[in-house]
Amino acid sequence: MKNVFLVTGGAGFLGSQIVKELLLRGQDVVCLVRSDSSERTVAKIAQSVVRSHGDAAGSAHTIRGDVTQAMCGIAEADLDRIGPSLTAIIHCAALVNFLVPRETLERNNVGGTRNIIELARQCGKIGAGAPIPVHHVSTAYVAGKTSDTILETDHEGPHEVPAFRNGYERSKYLAEQALREAHDVPWSIYRPSIVVGSAEEESPEPGHSLAPILKALRKSKGRVVPINQKSRIDFVNVDYVAKAVAQLACAGESSGRTYHLVSSGQHKVHLRSILSIVNREYRNGKPSLIPIPTMLYTWVLAPLLKIRSSTDARKVEQLASPFVPYVAQHPRFDDSNAQAALVQYGLKPAEPIDLFARIARGDAGNVPAKRNRKRHTAPASVSASA
């Protein structure tokens, strides 16, 4: 069965991969875009899939809009045209920024999700009558500040609001709650952890979540790094997340469920292993980085860097400081729902240590000259689920 998905954020780092996976599965995609450059990105993705898969590929189109506006800023004529044919919405658009004001984050991430909910209702009125499903891309870090094991069901029903590290986490939590309160709209929530480069590519794609940290490490001339070496860190390859979202959305059996798309359910990664890779790939003969307590950095070193250091050192501090809270704690994300749903499709996250080492090598310019690239083929489960 061929579906038609409206995708927001389809030109972004994760969204573009989701669009590609939908097209590979023979699904049609309508991408909500705000700019000419986003239109070009979607067109390039579609052309690439058509070149490799011909008539088996789905089709991709774009319409102009903005999730921060009522009905996502879609012109009435466009909505009347696409509304009756839409199967579901995949909401991937979000403002991912730890530094902008809370109001800006909530206008984009919470208000945007509420507008998506209203759009799902309106598409239902134009089409079959019932609101169409919303597949919402959130973040595992809606759990907030904790070192506990986080369950996929933790925010179902009455619960204590977590303490958040930043306004971004809070905005994504509130967006989830808006969906849960929309009792007439079918929803599924996907919570990736820190999304990094593809396990299928030789070098890191621009825009992945580790890019600011790696940039800070490249620029740093210091010898200390604020981490708790015993803490765990969870990051996951973008191709796994995109395939999981696309597969579950195509299967249409995920309504009312939350999925952790993470690596810590199957792999345990401590920061001491990450620091070892960083010292090997980035130091280039310089003395190794020395870990210091995160509290020492936050309360002593960071304030000194802001007022007494060079411009370069202050820039490094600005890049690094938003991420320090994430290396001070060690939550584990249970992904029982995700594993149970995805095992039949053979989908699982890449081994994170090998993945990080490859990304670090590529970012540092140490990628081997020759390597066999893995050709992207259509999923074996397409015919069963499309």
Side-chain angles (χ1 to χ4, degrees), residues 311-325:
T311 300
D312 286 344
R314 288 195 295 271
K315 288 181 179 178
V316 169
E317 185 276 331
Q318 290 171 357
L319 284 169
S321 286
F323 296 93
V324 171

Side-chain angles (χ1 to χ4, degrees), residues 46-87:
Q47 290 165 7
S48 174
V49 174
V50 167
R51 281 197 301 269
S52 62
H53 289 76
D55 293 341
S59 64
H61 307 280
T62 59
I63 58 170
R64 289 300 178 102
D66 184 337
V67 296
T68 65
Q69 299 177 15
M71 287 298 143
C72 296
I74 300 174
E76 186 174 351
D78 285 336
L79 190 55
D80 289 341
R81 176 171 55 85
I82 68 169
S85 64
L86 288 180
T87 307

Side-chain angles (χ1 to χ4, degrees), residues 9 40 112 141 161 182 202 210 219 236 270 272 277 298 300 325 386:
R40 290 192 293 269
Y141 291 95
V161 177
E202 289 184 14
L210 286 181
K219 289 180 172 291
V236 64
H270 289 99
R272 68 168 70 92
I277 294 171
T298 301
V300 178

